Amino acid sequence: MRFKVLILVVSFNLLYTFNGCSLAQQSELFIRVNQVGFLPNDIKTAIVFSNRDLSNKNFKVINQNSKKEVFSDRLNINKGIWGNFKNHYSIDFSKVESNGEYYLEIDGAKSFQFSISNNVYNGIVDSLLLYLRVQRCGQTNPLLHDVCHLYDSPRVENDKEAGVVDVTGGWHDAGDYIKFFSTTAYTTYLLLFSYEFDPKKFQTDNDKNGAPDILEEARVGIDWLLRANYADGKFINQVQDMRDHEQGFRMPENDQLKFDRPAFSGIGKNQIGMFAAVMSLAAKIWQEKFYDKDYADKCLSAAEKIYQYRNSVPDVDIVPSGMYQDSRYWGKLALGAIELYNVTKNKTYLSDAVLFADSAKSDYWWSWGDINALAHYKLAKVYPRFRNYILNNLVSFKNVMNNSVFGEGAAFTWGTTNTLLGVALQAILYSKVFKTNDFDSLIIFQRDYILGKNPWGTTFISNIGKVYPKNFHSQIPYFNGGYLPGAVSAGPTPEVILKNYNITRTSRRFDQFNSNDTKFYDDIADYVTNEPTIGSNATAIFVLSYFQSK
């Protein structure tokens, strides 16, 4: 979100090489590869680009320890122009499967070192979860800051009779300190969904309190959503107004407005669907994992009660700030109904879910507000025909991927990284349920794009890889030496969007690789391309956990 920055930001643009090659070579040839690495059986590709014609040049895969060549081939697939560079070559070294540390070498230039191992992705999800701890609000044991905003909220602006409401806790949505119902529900559901999808990969309990870390984090969201349901048939859909963006950078516990953070009321079918989905899945997990019948019953009761209002509320809620304004509801209602059926076995909910999911259809996209595939996936376990809606999405995404230089499966947008991760998520769901590898390349290419196989040669996750964003549009790292664990940057954004915002940038770190149409800036002032959000992290947690060995 946008801030009026009242602090002096001084940046130094350091000379460095992206490829580990000399500056002369760097000006001519660049190698983009997943900087984390690959599982032994992964599809393994990279992009080499230059303004020189490199056709039929040899590339080699070198073992870092032995310095021996383990594979070689020629550059022969030129994917054409992107940005300032005329020639982009796709190389495939999938035949290299032995564990080890490697790098690519082409015409004297070397890539960053990368790993091949079954364990190469272990630990990344732990880092992604740490970011959510940084975003915690209230008395929730936050990371890198003290407890904050203990007076949320003194009033509900559009429900004067409500008086004081308790909407403490939860997560700050992004680099600002505003809290939103929609993104909190999205994030919470994906945390629960990730655990349910493969619980064996989410047994880590770093604080030794008897609860898997991912469920401990989900509880932060569940408890806040329960508070946000402040009265029968009513939700708080936003805490704090746009004055938050006018205060300058500050730690949350030092917020000048901590006593004056109003709440806003709003409800729609979209919210009812997501709330019912979260609470139903929470009830199932808390009963099965923790044998906590009281809490499970509380969640299920809240879900069933709010679901009864679905026919008497607007289609979507109105968000006063205009941020995260939803426009769709069928898929969310379907998700709420199928989760209610899964925990109650009441076939009325199943009938509703079928009706809603068919009405939702394929959405050919992914964002916090475009999650129809989750409902279709859940329903496909009962009625396999619902897989066709997901298949429609995947065929479309794969077509985009096959026609792109770097393998991205969707158009650039505000929040590109979340969309690409969502493309991978949908392909993972389809592949696991229907036992197919037809979309393996789609999954892996989106992952690799996020982790360095992109024009800018950066991962989009803080402290992951060799090059990553260091100037996030986020306040807490500014006061912590720049440290922000596991944050996912919003990523490259179309110029047609960027031109609508007057952002004064001081970092030109990646300018050389920006195109006329699409740009990314690692700049603290850039709230469009370089702001992390809780929702993007939740999507990344699901996708990157898929590659964990434990």
Side-chain angles (χ1 to χ4, degrees), residues 189-383:
Y189 183 82
L190 277 185
L191 294 177
L192 296 171
F193 180 80
S194 298
Y195 176 83
E196 181 195 42
F197 188 78
D198 196 344
K200 290 182 180 179
K201 291 187 176 181
F202 288 103
Q203 294 305 314
T204 303
D205 179 16
N206 284 313
D207 55 8
K208 310 299 182 187
N209 66 355
D213 293 340
I214 193 168
L215 294 183
E216 184 177 353
E217 201 60 54
R219 181 71 182 255
V220 173
I222 297 165
D223 288 346
W224 187 83
L225 289 168
L226 287 169
R227 294 189 192 100
N229 185 201
Y230 70 102
D232 289 349
K234 293 183 178 182
F235 285 133
I236 296 300
N237 66 358
Q238 179 177 325
V239 175
Q240 187 52 303
D241 54 32
M242 298 303 289
R243 291 175 301 151
D244 178 87
H245 293 181
E246 300 170 357
Q247 307 308 308
F249 273 29
R250 73 279 189 201
M251 288 291 276
E253 60 267 30
N254 298 326
D255 191 349
Q256 303 94 313
L257 299 174
K258 62 184 175 182
F259 298 113
D260 187 14
R261 287 169 50 87
F264 298 85
S265 179
I267 191 167
K269 294 180 176 68
N270 57 325
Q271 291 179 306
I272 286 175
M274 287 305 297
F275 184 87
V278 169
M279 294 304 157
S280 299
L281 186 51
K284 181 175 181 286
I285 292 172
W286 256 257
Q287 179 62 54
E288 294 177 355
K289 172 66 178 177
F290 300 113
Y291 308 104
D292 188 343
K293 186 176 186 301
D294 288 344
Y295 192 71
D297 287 349
K298 179 180 181 180
C299 291
L300 181 57
S301 175
E304 292 195 291
K305 190 172 184 179
I306 200 66
Y307 187 78
Q308 296 174 11
Y309 288 90
R310 68 193 180 282
N311 294 323
S312 60
V313 300
D315 291 344
V316 296
D317 65 308
I318 302 300
V319 184
S321 64
M323 296 184 289
Y324 299 113
Q325 178 58 59
D326 211 343
S327 60
R328 299 172 180 85
Y329 64 92
W330 286 119
K332 301 175 188 73
L333 272 182
L335 188 61
I338 190 60
E339 291 293 10
L340 278 165
Y341 168 74
N342 286 339
V343 73
T344 66
K345 302 307 177 186
N346 182 334
K347 290 191 176 181
T348 298
Y349 293 133
L350 180 59
S351 296
D352 285 353
V354 169
L355 173 63
F356 300 151
D358 278 329
S359 298
K361 300 182 173 60
S362 301
D363 46 14
Y364 300 98
W365 195 245
W366 182 270
S367 75
W368 62 269
D370 300 277
I371 50 83
N372 294 356
L374 293 174
H376 293 142
Y377 163 75
K378 289 275 181 157
L379 269 161
K381 294 185 173 185
V382 184
Y383 301 116

Side-chain angles (χ1 to χ4, degrees), residues 356-412:
F356 300 151
D358 278 329
S359 298
K361 300 182 173 60
S362 301
D363 46 14
Y364 300 98
W365 195 245
W366 182 270
S367 75
W368 62 269
D370 300 277
I371 50 83
N372 294 356
L374 293 174
H376 293 142
Y377 163 75
K378 289 275 181 157
L379 269 161
K381 294 185 173 185
V382 184
Y383 301 116
R385 71 175 180 84
F386 280 95
R387 70 179 181 175
N388 293 326
Y389 289 118
I390 306 175
L391 181 61
N392 291 341
N393 287 352
L394 297 180
V395 170
S396 175
F397 295 147
K398 194 169 183 178
N399 184 58
V400 173
M401 178 191 78
N402 289 337
N403 287 284
S404 68
V405 171
F406 287 88
E408 65 275 13
F412 295 106

